[in-house]
Amino acid sequence: MRYCSLPARDLRLLDPLFIYPSTILGREKAIVVNLEQIRCIITAEEVILMNSLDGCVVQYKSELCKRLQNNKDQADDLPFEFRALELALELTCMSLDAQVKELEMEIYPVLDELASSISTLNLERVRRFKGHLLALTQRVQKVRDEIEHLMDDDGDMAEMYLTEKKQRMEAYPWNDLHSLSNMSGGTRVLPASAPASPVESINGSQRLQRAFSTIMNSSKHGSFTGSSNNGENIEQLEMLLEAYFVFIDNTLNKLLSLKEYIDDTEDLINIKLGNVQNQLIQFELLLTAATFVATIFAAVTGVFGMNFTATIFDYPSAFNWVLVITGVICGFLYFSFLLYFRHKKVFPS
């Protein structure tokens, strides 16, 4: 905290035990980077890595050392902090894009299989993939929003010029502090035996504090305006961020397309389930109509099965006529139900 002039809340973002969204903060002497597994503090001369045993951090360290060694003898306009930041963005974007491609390879066959054959196992797999998709979308969205926030704020980009600010601070004539304080304060040299006035002491300390504050503000303002007015440098950092913004935005579009494909598959499944439900309702109507007709036939059978005396029983052929007439009436009634259902468009024509 003393070395990098960082508050404690910035260091909490780098704690591997806690889960924080992706964040890039530009401070006076450092850049605090929290991108997925890569959590580090970038200064003008070095990178302080957290959780150095993690595979992503080891890859970041080795790749950064390799690039610095390769670019040692080459003319590179990017300062050290931007090269370190660029590598962190590159590895994060590539890692997220690789996870998206892996998810696409796994989920597209499952969705196609689910569209052709609806089963509990496929539905459970799609539900699990959808949860993974939602979590991955939130992570990609946060990285995209963080890059977009930096691109929209020139002040934040200017704060990240650590090398330039360090050179300005080193080149600033700190000896002017004493002369400026003497000029602004106008203090008098009193004899050693003369008593010091408390009002003069307070005013002198206030003037010295104001002078020091003026120098610090002017130095900071000079660094800020120097970076802001240097259009080439701001444009250089903006182009760097824009390249990875386009990359992560493309990754986000893949996730959104995948989500739309899942939604379309769910709509297709709902349509199929609705069609099956309609077929079951139609079958239930047919079965209910047939049961009603059979009940009429059973009622006639029950009436003639009673033990009572009637003249119709004196004719042997009367039994056959009763069966035929009852059957014709029941059949006519059943077909009347079918015609009514079709007229009401309950059944397709």
Tab-separated table of all heavy atoms in Angstrom, residues 176-237:
chain	number	residue	atom	x	y	z
A	176	ASP	N	12.206	23.991	-6.145
A	176	ASP	CA	11.365	25.184	-6.240
A	176	ASP	C	10.365	25.255	-5.103
A	176	ASP	O	9.743	26.299	-4.887
A	176	ASP	CB	10.598	25.177	-7.573
A	176	ASP	CG	11.526	25.376	-8.751
A	176	ASP	OD1	12.687	25.765	-8.498
A	176	ASP	OD2	11.095	25.145	-9.899
A	177	LEU	N	10.195	24.143	-4.373
A	177	LEU	CA	9.265	24.145	-3.254
A	177	LEU	C	9.675	25.170	-2.201
A	177	LEU	O	8.842	25.922	-1.692
A	177	LEU	CB	9.190	22.745	-2.639
A	177	LEU	CG	8.394	22.606	-1.345
A	177	LEU	CD1	6.924	22.950	-1.590
A	177	LEU	CD2	8.534	21.206	-0.763
A	178	HIS	N	10.975	25.216	-1.896
A	178	HIS	CA	11.443	26.143	-0.861
A	178	HIS	C	11.340	27.584	-1.327
A	178	HIS	O	10.908	28.463	-0.582
A	178	HIS	CB	12.884	25.812	-0.474
A	178	HIS	CG	13.035	24.399	0.015
A	178	HIS	ND1	12.596	23.995	1.257
A	178	HIS	CD2	13.566	23.295	-0.587
A	178	HIS	CE1	12.849	22.706	1.421
A	178	HIS	NE2	13.433	22.255	0.310
A	179	SER	N	11.714	27.801	-2.571
A	179	SER	CA	11.644	29.176	-3.062
A	179	SER	C	10.195	29.632	-3.169
A	179	SER	O	9.886	30.787	-2.861
A	179	SER	CB	12.332	29.271	-4.435
A	179	SER	OG	11.678	28.399	-5.368
A	180	LEU	N	9.296	28.724	-3.596
A	180	LEU	CA	7.907	29.096	-3.723
A	180	LEU	C	7.281	29.358	-2.361
A	180	LEU	O	6.489	30.292	-2.189
A	180	LEU	CB	7.123	27.991	-4.464
A	180	LEU	CG	5.643	28.261	-4.726
A	180	LEU	CD1	5.486	29.520	-5.576
A	180	LEU	CD2	4.991	27.061	-5.402
A	181	SER	N	7.683	28.566	-1.385
A	181	SER	CA	7.146	28.794	-0.042
A	181	SER	C	7.660	30.098	0.533
A	181	SER	O	6.931	30.824	1.210
A	181	SER	CB	7.506	27.615	0.872
A	181	SER	OG	8.912	27.516	0.987
A	182	ASN	N	8.936	30.452	0.254
A	182	ASN	CA	9.473	31.716	0.763
A	182	ASN	C	8.823	32.905	0.064
A	182	ASN	O	8.526	33.928	0.679
A	182	ASN	CB	10.991	31.767	0.562
A	182	ASN	CG	11.701	30.759	1.452
A	182	ASN	OD1	11.203	30.444	2.538
A	182	ASN	ND2	12.849	30.240	0.985
A	183	MET	N	8.556	32.746	-1.259
A	183	MET	CA	7.943	33.836	-2.005
A	183	MET	C	6.501	34.048	-1.584
A	183	MET	O	6.025	35.170	-1.444
A	183	MET	CB	8.005	33.564	-3.519
A	183	MET	CG	9.416	33.617	-4.087
A	183	MET	SD	9.445	33.091	-5.797
A	183	MET	CE	8.352	34.293	-6.507
A	184	SER	N	5.779	32.941	-1.395
A	184	SER	CA	4.368	33.086	-1.059
A	184	SER	C	4.168	33.412	0.411
A	184	SER	O	3.217	34.091	0.779
A	184	SER	CB	3.597	31.789	-1.406
A	184	SER	OG	4.154	30.714	-0.665
A	185	GLY	N	5.048	32.925	1.254
A	185	GLY	CA	4.835	33.131	2.681
A	185	GLY	C	5.356	34.466	3.169
A	185	GLY	O	4.734	35.118	3.990
A	186	GLY	N	6.504	34.917	2.642
A	186	GLY	CA	7.089	36.190	3.095
A	186	GLY	C	7.427	36.139	4.580
A	186	GLY	O	7.198	37.087	5.316
A	187	THR	N	8.002	35.042	5.071
A	187	THR	CA	8.309	34.881	6.488
A	187	THR	C	9.515	35.743	6.840
A	187	THR	O	10.423	35.950	6.032
A	187	THR	CB	8.597	33.416	6.806
A	187	THR	OG1	9.628	32.949	5.938
A	187	THR	CG2	7.341	32.567	6.616
A	188	ARG	N	9.540	36.189	8.058
A	188	ARG	CA	10.633	37.001	8.561
A	188	ARG	C	11.530	36.155	9.436
A	188	ARG	O	11.073	35.256	10.125
A	188	ARG	CB	10.089	38.180	9.374
A	188	ARG	CG	9.226	39.154	8.552
A	188	ARG	CD	8.668	40.219	9.465
A	188	ARG	NE	7.821	39.614	10.499
A	188	ARG	CZ	7.327	40.293	11.510
A	188	ARG	NH1	7.649	41.584	11.656
A	188	ARG	NH2	6.550	39.700	12.378
A	189	VAL	N	12.795	36.476	9.407
A	189	VAL	CA	13.778	35.803	10.260
A	189	VAL	C	13.879	36.593	11.554
A	189	VAL	O	14.297	37.753	11.550
A	189	VAL	CB	15.142	35.703	9.561
A	189	VAL	CG1	16.132	35.013	10.472
A	189	VAL	CG2	14.991	34.969	8.223
A	190	LEU	N	13.501	35.984	12.639
A	190	LEU	CA	13.511	36.658	13.932
A	190	LEU	C	14.721	36.231	14.734
A	190	LEU	O	15.266	35.138	14.539
A	190	LEU	CB	12.231	36.307	14.701
A	190	LEU	CG	10.914	36.736	14.009
A	190	LEU	CD1	9.739	36.261	14.855
A	190	LEU	CD2	10.880	38.247	13.811
A	191	PRO	N	15.131	37.074	15.627
A	191	PRO	CA	16.233	36.660	16.507
A	191	PRO	C	15.820	35.470	17.346
A	191	PRO	O	14.637	35.229	17.596
A	191	PRO	CB	16.470	37.907	17.382
A	191	PRO	CG	15.880	39.035	16.599
A	191	PRO	CD	14.748	38.478	15.832
A	192	ALA	N	16.840	34.762	17.832
A	192	ALA	CA	16.563	33.547	18.598
A	192	ALA	C	15.914	33.879	19.917
A	192	ALA	O	15.144	33.084	20.460
A	192	ALA	CB	17.867	32.775	18.830
A	193	SER	N	16.190	35.066	20.445
A	193	SER	CA	15.619	35.414	21.740
A	193	SER	C	14.224	35.973	21.646
A	193	SER	O	13.525	36.087	22.640
A	193	SER	CB	16.524	36.448	22.435
A	193	SER	OG	16.626	37.608	21.605
A	194	ALA	N	13.796	36.334	20.426
A	194	ALA	CA	12.469	36.938	20.265
A	194	ALA	C	11.416	35.862	20.364
A	194	ALA	O	11.572	34.785	19.807
A	194	ALA	CB	12.371	37.655	18.920
A	195	PRO	N	10.326	36.145	21.076
A	195	PRO	CA	9.268	35.135	21.184
A	195	PRO	C	8.516	35.011	19.868
A	195	PRO	O	8.287	35.996	19.171
A	195	PRO	CB	8.358	35.680	22.296
A	195	PRO	CG	8.579	37.148	22.271
A	195	PRO	CD	10.010	37.343	21.878
A	196	ALA	N	8.145	33.793	19.559
A	196	ALA	CA	7.422	33.522	18.293
A	196	ALA	C	5.951	33.777	18.501
A	196	ALA	O	5.370	33.369	19.510
A	196	ALA	CB	7.648	32.072	17.846
A	197	SER	N	5.359	34.468	17.535
A	197	SER	CA	3.921	34.745	17.594
A	197	SER	C	3.145	33.523	17.120
A	197	SER	O	3.463	32.959	16.068
A	197	SER	CB	3.583	35.949	16.697
A	197	SER	OG	2.175	36.139	16.648
A	198	PRO	N	2.167	33.079	17.921
A	198	PRO	CA	1.416	31.900	17.481
A	198	PRO	C	0.633	32.164	16.221
A	198	PRO	O	0.448	31.284	15.392
A	198	PRO	CB	0.493	31.616	18.671
A	198	PRO	CG	0.455	32.883	19.471
A	198	PRO	CD	1.740	33.583	19.223
A	199	VAL	N	0.146	33.403	16.007
A	199	VAL	CA	-0.599	33.717	14.791
A	199	VAL	C	0.301	33.619	13.581
A	199	VAL	O	-0.053	33.064	12.544
A	199	VAL	CB	-1.245	35.099	14.912
A	199	VAL	CG1	-1.965	35.476	13.622
A	199	VAL	CG2	-2.187	35.151	16.107
A	200	GLU	N	1.520	34.153	13.701
A	200	GLU	CA	2.456	34.103	12.585
A	200	GLU	C	2.860	32.673	12.288
A	200	GLU	O	3.056	32.284	11.143
A	200	GLU	CB	3.682	34.966	12.895
A	200	GLU	CG	3.359	36.457	12.946
A	200	GLU	CD	4.600	37.256	13.226
A	200	GLU	OE1	5.647	36.606	13.438
A	200	GLU	OE2	4.551	38.490	13.225
A	201	SER	N	3.015	31.841	13.345
A	201	SER	CA	3.395	30.442	13.112
A	201	SER	C	2.294	29.715	12.364
A	201	SER	O	2.543	28.937	11.434
A	201	SER	CB	3.669	29.747	14.463
A	201	SER	OG	4.727	30.393	15.114
A	202	ILE	N	1.060	29.945	12.804
A	202	ILE	CA	-0.054	29.272	12.131
A	202	ILE	C	-0.167	29.737	10.693
A	202	ILE	O	-0.338	28.943	9.767
A	202	ILE	CB	-1.363	29.520	12.902
A	202	ILE	CG1	-1.279	28.867	14.286
A	202	ILE	CG2	-2.559	28.997	12.127
A	202	ILE	CD1	-2.491	29.142	15.155
A	203	ASN	N	-0.058	31.068	10.492
A	203	ASN	CA	-0.164	31.574	9.132
A	203	ASN	C	0.976	31.063	8.267
A	203	ASN	O	0.785	30.742	7.089
A	203	ASN	CB	-0.169	33.104	9.143
A	203	ASN	CG	-1.438	33.663	9.794
A	203	ASN	OD1	-2.464	32.997	9.800
A	203	ASN	ND2	-1.344	34.873	10.321
A	204	GLY	N	2.159	30.982	8.833
A	204	GLY	CA	3.295	30.482	8.059
A	204	GLY	C	3.117	29.030	7.662
A	204	GLY	O	3.393	28.638	6.532
A	205	SER	N	2.653	28.224	8.626
A	205	SER	CA	2.441	26.803	8.296
A	205	SER	C	1.333	26.647	7.271
A	205	SER	O	1.406	25.803	6.378
A	205	SER	CB	2.104	26.008	9.558
A	205	SER	OG	0.911	26.507	10.140
A	206	GLN	N	0.282	27.487	7.371
A	206	GLN	CA	-0.796	27.417	6.391
A	206	GLN	C	-0.309	27.819	5.013
A	206	GLN	O	-0.667	27.208	4.011
A	206	GLN	CB	-1.965	28.296	6.831
A	206	GLN	CG	-2.709	27.761	8.056
A	206	GLN	CD	-3.841	28.684	8.480
A	206	GLN	OE1	-3.937	29.799	7.955
A	206	GLN	NE2	-4.644	28.236	9.427
A	207	ARG	N	0.518	28.865	4.969
A	207	ARG	CA	1.043	29.285	3.669
A	207	ARG	C	1.937	28.213	3.075
A	207	ARG	O	1.912	27.960	1.870
A	207	ARG	CB	1.806	30.604	3.821
A	207	ARG	CG	0.900	31.807	4.035
A	207	ARG	CD	1.706	33.084	3.850
A	207	ARG	NE	2.733	33.246	4.872
A	207	ARG	CZ	2.550	33.901	6.014
A	207	ARG	NH1	1.385	34.457	6.270
A	207	ARG	NH2	3.527	34.005	6.891
A	208	LEU	N	2.760	27.578	3.933
A	208	LEU	CA	3.634	26.512	3.445
A	208	LEU	C	2.816	25.327	2.938
A	208	LEU	O	3.130	24.726	1.911
A	208	LEU	CB	4.589	26.069	4.560
A	208	LEU	CG	5.615	24.986	4.162
A	208	LEU	CD1	6.492	25.499	3.021
A	208	LEU	CD2	6.439	24.591	5.383
A	209	GLN	N	1.747	25.024	3.682
A	209	GLN	CA	0.891	23.913	3.251
A	209	GLN	C	0.200	24.232	1.928
A	209	GLN	O	0.079	23.384	1.058
A	209	GLN	CB	-0.153	23.616	4.337
A	209	GLN	CG	-1.023	22.397	4.016
A	209	GLN	CD	-1.982	22.105	5.151
A	209	GLN	OE1	-2.009	22.823	6.133
A	209	GLN	NE2	-2.755	21.025	5.000
A	210	ARG	N	-0.289	25.479	1.800
A	210	ARG	CA	-0.917	25.875	0.544
A	210	ARG	C	0.078	25.851	-0.605
A	210	ARG	O	-0.246	25.438	-1.724
A	210	ARG	CB	-1.528	27.267	0.682
A	210	ARG	CG	-2.818	27.302	1.475
A	210	ARG	CD	-3.559	28.611	1.223
A	210	ARG	NE	-2.776	29.773	1.628
A	210	ARG	CZ	-2.860	30.342	2.829
A	210	ARG	NH1	-3.680	29.844	3.742
A	210	ARG	NH2	-2.126	31.389	3.127
A	211	ALA	N	1.293	26.258	-0.330
A	211	ALA	CA	2.313	26.246	-1.378
A	211	ALA	C	2.627	24.822	-1.821
A	211	ALA	O	2.742	24.523	-3.009
A	211	ALA	CB	3.592	26.941	-0.880
A	212	PHE	N	2.767	23.938	-0.832
A	212	PHE	CA	3.040	22.539	-1.153
A	212	PHE	C	1.870	21.912	-1.920
A	212	PHE	O	2.060	21.173	-2.873
A	212	PHE	CB	3.320	21.766	0.140
A	212	PHE	CG	3.642	20.319	-0.097
A	212	PHE	CD1	4.890	19.939	-0.578
A	212	PHE	CD2	2.699	19.327	0.141
A	212	PHE	CE1	5.188	18.617	-0.801
A	212	PHE	CE2	2.993	18.009	-0.075
A	212	PHE	CZ	4.248	17.644	-0.544
A	213	SER	N	0.682	22.255	-1.459
A	213	SER	CA	-0.502	21.723	-2.141
A	213	SER	C	-0.584	22.253	-3.561
A	213	SER	O	-0.981	21.545	-4.487
A	213	SER	CB	-1.768	22.081	-1.359
A	213	SER	OG	-2.922	21.618	-2.015
A	214	THR	N	-0.205	23.525	-3.766
A	214	THR	CA	-0.227	24.110	-5.104
A	214	THR	C	0.749	23.402	-6.015
A	214	THR	O	0.451	23.101	-7.180
A	214	THR	CB	0.104	25.600	-5.022
A	214	THR	OG1	-0.831	26.242	-4.163
A	214	THR	CG2	0.070	26.236	-6.412
A	215	ILE	N	1.921	23.101	-5.498
A	215	ILE	CA	2.928	22.407	-6.307
A	215	ILE	C	2.456	21.002	-6.675
A	215	ILE	O	2.582	20.550	-7.811
A	215	ILE	CB	4.275	22.354	-5.556
A	215	ILE	CG1	4.853	23.762	-5.458
A	215	ILE	CG2	5.247	21.440	-6.267
A	215	ILE	CD1	6.130	23.826	-4.667
A	216	MET	N	1.895	20.295	-5.709
A	216	MET	CA	1.425	18.932	-5.967
A	216	MET	C	0.287	18.941	-6.970
A	216	MET	O	0.232	18.114	-7.888
A	216	MET	CB	0.975	18.271	-4.667
A	216	MET	CG	2.095	17.997	-3.689
A	216	MET	SD	3.330	16.884	-4.373
A	216	MET	CE	2.363	15.391	-4.544
A	217	ASN	N	-0.634	19.888	-6.806
A	217	ASN	CA	-1.759	19.948	-7.733
A	217	ASN	C	-1.296	20.320	-9.133
A	217	ASN	O	-1.784	19.789	-10.128
A	217	ASN	CB	-2.809	20.953	-7.243
A	217	ASN	CG	-3.530	20.457	-6.011
A	217	ASN	OD1	-3.627	19.251	-5.788
A	217	ASN	ND2	-4.030	21.377	-5.202
A	218	SER	N	-0.349	21.266	-9.187
A	218	SER	CA	0.144	21.654	-10.507
A	218	SER	C	0.906	20.518	-11.161
A	218	SER	O	0.820	20.312	-12.368
A	218	SER	CB	1.049	22.887	-10.383
A	218	SER	OG	2.180	22.591	-9.571
A	219	SER	N	1.654	19.745	-10.329
A	219	SER	CA	2.369	18.595	-10.889
A	219	SER	C	1.408	17.546	-11.392
A	219	SER	O	1.548	17.010	-12.483
A	219	SER	CB	3.290	17.993	-9.818
A	219	SER	OG	3.877	16.807	-10.305
A	220	LYS	N	0.378	17.283	-10.563
A	220	LYS	CA	-0.613	16.288	-10.975
A	220	LYS	C	-1.396	16.771	-12.174
A	220	LYS	O	-1.663	16.034	-13.120
A	220	LYS	CB	-1.560	15.992	-9.804
A	220	LYS	CG	-2.574	14.909	-10.118
A	220	LYS	CD	-3.421	14.617	-8.905
A	220	LYS	CE	-4.437	13.507	-9.210
A	220	LYS	NZ	-5.276	13.210	-8.040
A	221	HIS	N	-1.744	18.090	-12.150
A	221	HIS	CA	-2.497	18.645	-13.267
A	221	HIS	C	-1.645	18.653	-14.535
A	221	HIS	O	-2.131	18.385	-15.633
A	221	HIS	CB	-2.956	20.054	-12.926
A	221	HIS	CG	-3.731	20.700	-14.037
A	221	HIS	ND1	-5.018	20.297	-14.375
A	221	HIS	CD2	-3.399	21.711	-14.888
A	221	HIS	CE1	-5.458	21.035	-15.384
A	221	HIS	NE2	-4.493	21.893	-15.716
A	222	GLY	N	-0.382	18.895	-14.375
A	222	GLY	CA	0.503	18.884	-15.534
A	222	GLY	C	0.624	17.500	-16.118
A	222	GLY	O	0.629	17.309	-17.329
A	223	SER	N	0.725	16.492	-15.228
A	223	SER	CA	0.773	15.115	-15.718
A	223	SER	C	-0.515	14.730	-16.396
A	223	SER	O	-0.529	14.077	-17.431
A	223	SER	CB	1.063	14.166	-14.550
A	223	SER	OG	0.996	12.832	-14.977
A	224	PHE	N	-1.629	15.148	-15.794
A	224	PHE	CA	-2.942	14.786	-16.340
A	224	PHE	C	-3.180	15.464	-17.687
A	224	PHE	O	-3.539	14.835	-18.670
A	224	PHE	CB	-4.034	15.173	-15.346
A	224	PHE	CG	-5.418	14.880	-15.835
A	224	PHE	CD1	-5.927	13.603	-15.770
A	224	PHE	CD2	-6.192	15.892	-16.379
A	224	PHE	CE1	-7.197	13.329	-16.229
A	224	PHE	CE2	-7.463	15.618	-16.836
A	224	PHE	CZ	-7.965	14.344	-16.756
A	225	THR	N	-2.948	16.790	-17.706
A	225	THR	CA	-3.195	17.506	-18.945
A	225	THR	C	-2.180	17.132	-20.005
A	225	THR	O	-2.509	17.101	-21.196
A	225	THR	CB	-3.162	19.014	-18.690
A	225	THR	OG1	-1.903	19.349	-18.076
A	225	THR	CG2	-4.306	19.438	-17.792
A	226	GLY	N	-0.965	16.812	-19.559
A	226	GLY	CA	0.029	16.382	-20.541
A	226	GLY	C	-0.387	15.108	-21.225
A	226	GLY	O	-0.231	14.948	-22.426
A	227	SER	N	-0.934	14.182	-20.440
A	227	SER	CA	-1.393	12.938	-21.040
A	227	SER	C	-2.642	13.153	-21.857
A	227	SER	O	-2.849	12.526	-22.893
A	227	SER	CB	-1.657	11.898	-19.942
A	227	SER	OG	-0.481	11.635	-19.236
A	228	SER	N	-3.528	14.053	-21.372
A	228	SER	CA	-4.776	14.268	-22.086
A	228	SER	C	-4.522	15.009	-23.389
A	228	SER	O	-5.167	14.718	-24.398
A	228	SER	CB	-5.766	15.045	-21.217
A	228	SER	OG	-6.045	14.314	-20.049
A	229	ASN	N	-3.605	15.984	-23.339
A	229	ASN	CA	-3.354	16.766	-24.536
A	229	ASN	C	-2.508	16.010	-25.539
A	229	ASN	O	-2.478	16.371	-26.715
A	229	ASN	CB	-2.650	18.085	-24.177
A	229	ASN	CG	-3.560	18.982	-23.355
A	229	ASN	OD1	-4.774	18.934	-23.477
A	229	ASN	ND2	-2.952	19.819	-22.517
A	230	ASN	N	-1.821	15.009	-25.103
A	230	ASN	CA	-1.032	14.212	-26.030
A	230	ASN	C	-1.972	13.266	-26.752
A	230	ASN	O	-2.238	12.167	-26.302
A	230	ASN	CB	0.044	13.429	-25.266
A	230	ASN	CG	1.077	12.843	-26.218
A	230	ASN	OD1	0.882	12.776	-27.427
A	230	ASN	ND2	2.182	12.410	-25.643
A	231	GLY	N	-2.523	13.738	-27.865
A	231	GLY	CA	-3.542	12.961	-28.570
A	231	GLY	C	-3.029	11.623	-29.049
A	231	GLY	O	-3.762	10.640	-29.081
A	232	GLU	N	-1.746	11.562	-29.428
A	232	GLU	CA	-1.196	10.321	-29.938
A	232	GLU	C	-1.198	9.241	-28.868
A	232	GLU	O	-1.571	8.097	-29.128
A	232	GLU	CB	0.213	10.569	-30.468
A	232	GLU	CG	0.856	9.328	-31.074
A	232	GLU	CD	2.269	9.608	-31.568
A	232	GLU	OE1	2.690	10.786	-31.463
A	232	GLU	OE2	2.923	8.676	-32.023
A	233	ASN	N	-0.804	9.608	-27.639
A	233	ASN	CA	-0.756	8.630	-26.562
A	233	ASN	C	-2.150	8.159	-26.171
A	233	ASN	O	-2.381	6.975	-25.977
A	233	ASN	CB	-0.027	9.227	-25.352
A	233	ASN	CG	1.461	9.357	-25.599
A	233	ASN	OD1	1.996	8.703	-26.488
A	233	ASN	ND2	2.109	10.208	-24.838
A	234	ILE	N	-3.092	9.109	-26.024
A	234	ILE	CA	-4.458	8.724	-25.677
A	234	ILE	C	-5.049	7.847	-26.768
A	234	ILE	O	-5.708	6.850	-26.493
A	234	ILE	CB	-5.317	9.979	-25.459
A	234	ILE	CG1	-4.896	10.697	-24.181
A	234	ILE	CG2	-6.788	9.636	-25.390
A	234	ILE	CD1	-5.199	9.939	-22.927
A	235	GLU	N	-4.806	8.231	-27.995
A	235	GLU	CA	-5.317	7.435	-29.113
A	235	GLU	C	-4.664	6.062	-29.138
A	235	GLU	O	-5.308	5.061	-29.475
A	235	GLU	CB	-5.052	8.173	-30.425
A	235	GLU	CG	-5.626	7.455	-31.639
A	235	GLU	CD	-5.351	8.206	-32.929
A	235	GLU	OE1	-4.720	9.279	-32.844
A	235	GLU	OE2	-5.747	7.718	-33.992
A	236	GLN	N	-3.386	6.001	-28.757
A	236	GLN	CA	-2.689	4.725	-28.733
A	236	GLN	C	-3.304	3.783	-27.709
A	236	GLN	O	-3.581	2.616	-28.012
A	236	GLN	CB	-1.208	4.969	-28.409
A	236	GLN	CG	-0.343	3.726	-28.496
A	236	GLN	CD	1.097	4.039	-28.140
A	236	GLN	OE1	1.338	4.842	-27.232
A	236	GLN	NE2	2.030	3.422	-28.815
A	237	LEU	N	-3.575	4.271	-26.516
A	237	LEU	CA	-4.211	3.434	-25.501
A	237	LEU	C	-5.649	3.113	-25.884
A	237	LEU	O	-6.125	1.998	-25.657
A	237	LEU	CB	-4.166	4.151	-24.145
A	237	LEU	CG	-4.851	3.423	-22.981
A	237	LEU	CD1	-4.259	2.047	-22.761
A	237	LEU	CD2	-4.763	4.258	-21.710
